[in-house]
Amino acid sequence: MDFISTSSFFLIMLALAAMPSASVALVVTRSATLGVQNGIAVSVGIVVGDLVFIALALSGMSVLAETLGVFFTLIKYIGGAYLIWLGFSLLRSKPAIDNLVESNINSSSLLASALSGFVLTLGDLKAILFYASLFPSLLNVPSLTVTDLLAIVAVTVLAVGGVKILYAFSARKLLEKIRNTAASRHAQTVAGSCLMGTGTYLIVKV
């Protein structure tokens, strides 16, 4: 990979990661309601999901992925239902903003956040088709070296993970500004609605 192709790939990934999307909504919601660590965990799950698709695309397995469409569809439905359940639970719970301290964050919530990000990403089977068409236009795929592959991983982690983590911190800052106000209840309602909306989107999208 030369400088131009690496830079182009980075800018494309950066722009896509920054666009308002279901994944951004999930990061912001988990960060605002459960803490920055959970937002970061979602980001990690999203990055891992992207890396899976990139690996499939680079190894020429896009056709296999299409063949396994039923499997990915099942993941999509399960992930969507899980996100809807999370949102519904949040809507029914009492405002808990004042209790969102770092000590309350446990490994189970972090794992749930990471899995939700991973499942949400895998639910978008079109992503592998995007990567399968993107790489040939930017790179000479057959001649990629180990160094090139590491560069692709690094760019993906920095661009996608970096942007999502910035969203996570931004959401937390916003939450701190409305702490101890009537807006906290509305913020929780919006967060729950976003989760349910994200889950619904994941289920119904083609």
Side-chain angles (χ1 to χ4, degrees), residues 27-200:
V27 170
V28 169
T29 300
R30 296 294 280 183
S31 181
T33 57
L34 293 176
V36 174
Q37 284 90 335
N38 277 272
I40 294 174
V42 173
S43 303
V44 171
I46 292 170
V47 169
V48 172
D50 274 328
L51 291 176
V52 168
F53 280 140
I54 288 174
L56 289 174
L58 289 177
S59 60
M61 296 179 66
S62 56
V63 174
L64 175 60
E66 290 187 55
T67 304
L68 296 176
V70 175
F71 172 71
F72 283 100
T73 299
L74 180 61
I75 290 179
K76 180 177 73 169
Y77 288 144
I78 293 175
Y82 175 65
L83 294 177
I84 291 173
W85 177 78
L86 286 177
F88 181 70
S89 299
L90 189 59
L91 288 176
R92 294 192 60 187
S93 65
K94 296 179 180 180
I97 290 180
D98 289 334
N99 296 323
L100 294 178
V101 295
E102 305 304 321
S103 60
N104 288 337
I105 298 173
N106 52 56
S107 58
S108 61
S109 69
L110 293 177
L111 178 60
S113 293
L115 285 176
S116 63
F118 181 68
V119 168
L120 177 63
T121 303
L122 286 190
D124 186 8
L125 186 56
K126 291 181 180 178
I128 190 175
L129 301 179
F130 164 74
Y131 288 123
S133 61
L134 172 66
F135 288 127
S137 65
L138 288 178
L139 314 168
N140 183 3
V141 176
S143 65
L144 289 176
T145 65
V146 174
T147 301
D148 293 331
L149 295 176
L150 291 176
I152 291 172
V153 171
V155 167
T156 303
V157 171
L158 288 175
V160 179
V163 168
K164 303 302 184 186
I165 289 174
L166 282 177
Y167 272 116
F169 278 100
S170 297
R172 191 59 176 177
K173 292 296 183 182
L174 176 61
L175 187 66
E176 289 173 354
K177 291 182 179 180
I178 63 173
R179 187 188 293 271
N180 295 322
T181 70
S184 63
R185 174 70 253 186
H186 298 299
Q188 188 164 317
T189 300
V190 170
S193 299
C194 284
L195 276 178
M196 294 184 70
T198 300
T200 302

